[in-house]
Amino acid sequence: MSDTPFGFGLPPEEPDDGDEGKKKDQQSGGGQGPANPFGFGGLPGAGGFGAPGADNPFAAMFGSLNPNDLGAAFQQLGQMLSYEGGPVNWDMAKQIARQTVSQGTADGTKDASVGPAERTAVEEAVRLADLWLDDATSLPSGAGSSVAWSRAEWVEATLPAWKELVDPVAERVGTAMGDVLPEEMQAMAGPLIGMMRSMGGAMFGTQIGQAVGALAGEVVGSTDIGLPLGPAGKAALLPLNIEAFGKDLGVAQDEVRLYLALREAAHQRLFTHVPWLRSHLFGAVDGYARGIKVDTAKLEDVVGQFDPQNPEQLQDALQQGMFQPEDTPEQKAALARLETALALVEGWVDAVVHAAAKPRLSSADALRETLRRRRASGGPAEQTFATLIGLELRPRRLRDASRLWASLTDARGVDGRDGLWAHPDMLPTASDLDDPDGFVHREQLDFSELDKMLGEAAQKPHLKKKDADKDDKGDDTE
């Protein structure tokens, strides 16, 4: 994984920066290091308008700022200050993501439109993957269609999911900006608070745009971070990123594509045929996020020293992170639920894909280990959420979950294993991951006996009524 937390490619209808873009890439060193995951140095205009790009948070929004661009730059500044929408300026996030994509990745790879041959290769890979998965899981195909996306198309398709994940916490930041002022000052400072919230929405949008844009340079499908980010029932792969992923693995490109298609198709089966799973995962994210508190001391410092002519103060505060998980039993339980849910999804996909690929692909073991390390090491999605909203999306117990699902397959068969997805209460818990053998060999509940007992209980009032009727008749005959 690269140090850059996310990346994105230019839509085919937009021109590249040509020699000027290459020159800027060389000046910026090809991207940002981990110490500054959301810095602006590697974005358009990194060296323009006086100061270096890393010190100019508007460089990402205003481009190179040559004289011909000044009018558009100040127009965009006006739009930013007049923004009155939600907690995140998603129009700006989308724009920044597109600009981030247009710069390409650190290795110099630029986004490109997907050609007919690549689309056909993806469709055939997903079709074959679904056939193989039929033997490995009882869940039917969940991919109603398959698509090959450019990086730009990935961003367009996943922004609604990012909005759902980020807005709740960003809303709390906007509220906190007003709450940190004394009540008697809030009425007087109304215009300032409004400006700060507009700036906050813009800065959040800028950082989210950079993050999503950079991620687009690394993801290979729509489910890389374990959450369904794309449209339901649509298996999506990114040919350009798949090529980059398999470049140094020593594995045939067709095998790499097919293995990644297996993972994407397996995720689609799970999210399509376990209807409660998406809301369960997003609910776990929301439940954890609700227990994150804003560092009001840091925010008070920002508000107290806020200078409308120096808006990068808000940028710096967001970049350093203003969020801290509450150290409460409820928050720890929420984190455990989230980590367990992510691990169970990724562990099931890992086990099912391995079962389908192992007999057919000689590279199955090597690809499995590569993806396990790539997924479990965190990476860009984790950095984004940890910085912006204090949330990590890492399946810390991926290997434990994968072993548990494999053991369940051996003990209960494919149907018995997949049947656990019928209800969230049937899934293994965090403690079950500690003792997978205990869960696997635990005596299974016999629901037929429960149904029998419920049926008998339902009949008892009717039987009692019949007995009472008989008694009444008996009394009449006497």
Side-chain angles (χ1 to χ4, degrees), residues 285-322:
V285 172
D286 183 64
Y288 178 74
R290 259 183 271 136
I292 295 174
K293 59 184 178 182
V294 178
D295 187 343
T296 54
K298 182 181 293 186
L299 190 57
E300 285 174 0
D301 290 340
V302 174
V303 172
Q305 302 174 16
F306 179 71
D307 179 0
Q309 296 182 352
N310 189 25
E312 60 265 26
Q313 289 175 340
L314 286 177
Q315 165 72 24
D316 293 340
L318 288 175
Q319 182 171 306
Q320 295 169 13
M322 291 190 295

Side-chain angles (χ1 to χ4, degrees), residues 199-233:
M199 294 294 294
M203 292 304 179
F204 243 116
T206 298
Q207 290 191 302
I208 289 293
Q210 285 184 268
V212 173
L215 180 58
E218 298 195 12
V219 295
V220 295
S222 70
T223 54
D224 277 32
I225 68 168
L227 296 173
L229 297 179

Side-chain angles (χ1 to χ4, degrees), residues 63-95:
S64 60
L65 285 178
N66 60 48
N68 294 329
D69 294 334
L70 285 176
F74 284 110
Q75 181 181 6
Q76 192 167 8
L77 176 60
Q79 292 172 351
M80 181 179 70
L81 294 175
S82 62
Y83 173 72
E84 297 180 352
V88 178
N89 188 331
W90 286 102
D91 290 338
M92 182 163 288
K94 180 178 177 180
Q95 181 179 353

Side-chain angles (χ1 to χ4, degrees), residues 87-88 90 161-175 204 282 285-287 289-290 292 323 389:
V88 178
W90 286 102
W162 292 113
K163 186 176 189 297
E164 186 176 349
L165 288 166
V166 173
D167 266 353
V169 176
E171 177 67 42
R172 298 178 58 192
V173 179
T175 302
F204 243 116
F282 278 67
V285 172
D286 183 64
R290 259 183 271 136
I292 295 174
F323 308 98
I389 59 176

Side-chain angles (χ1 to χ4, degrees), residues 175-200:
T175 302
M177 283 182 173
D179 292 344
V180 297
L181 288 175
E183 187 172 342
E184 61 273 11
M185 293 181 59
Q186 291 187 17
M188 299 173 57
L192 175 61
I193 293 175
M195 179 183 293
M196 290 179 61
R197 287 180 175 171
S198 295
M199 294 294 294

Side-chain angles (χ1 to χ4, degrees), residues 42-123:
L43 293 178
F49 206 56
D55 298 326
N56 179 11
F58 295 105
M61 293 174 275
F62 297 159
S64 60
L65 285 178
N66 60 48
N68 294 329
D69 294 334
L70 285 176
F74 284 110
Q75 181 181 6
Q76 192 167 8
L77 176 60
Q79 292 172 351
M80 181 179 70
L81 294 175
S82 62
Y83 173 72
E84 297 180 352
V88 178
N89 188 331
W90 286 102
D91 290 338
M92 182 163 288
K94 180 178 177 180
Q95 181 179 353
I96 297 299
R98 292 173 69 89
Q99 291 178 348
T100 305
V101 164
S102 71
Q103 295 305 294
T105 50
D107 63 0
T109 304
K110 299 280 189 177
D111 194 20
S113 59
V114 179
E118 292 172 316
R119 295 188 187 280
T120 300
V122 166
E123 291 171 358

Side-chain angles (χ1 to χ4, degrees), residues 153-166:
E153 290 170 328
W154 182 89
V155 168
E156 296 281 350
T158 61
L159 274 178
W162 292 113
K163 186 176 189 297
E164 186 176 349
L165 288 166
V166 173

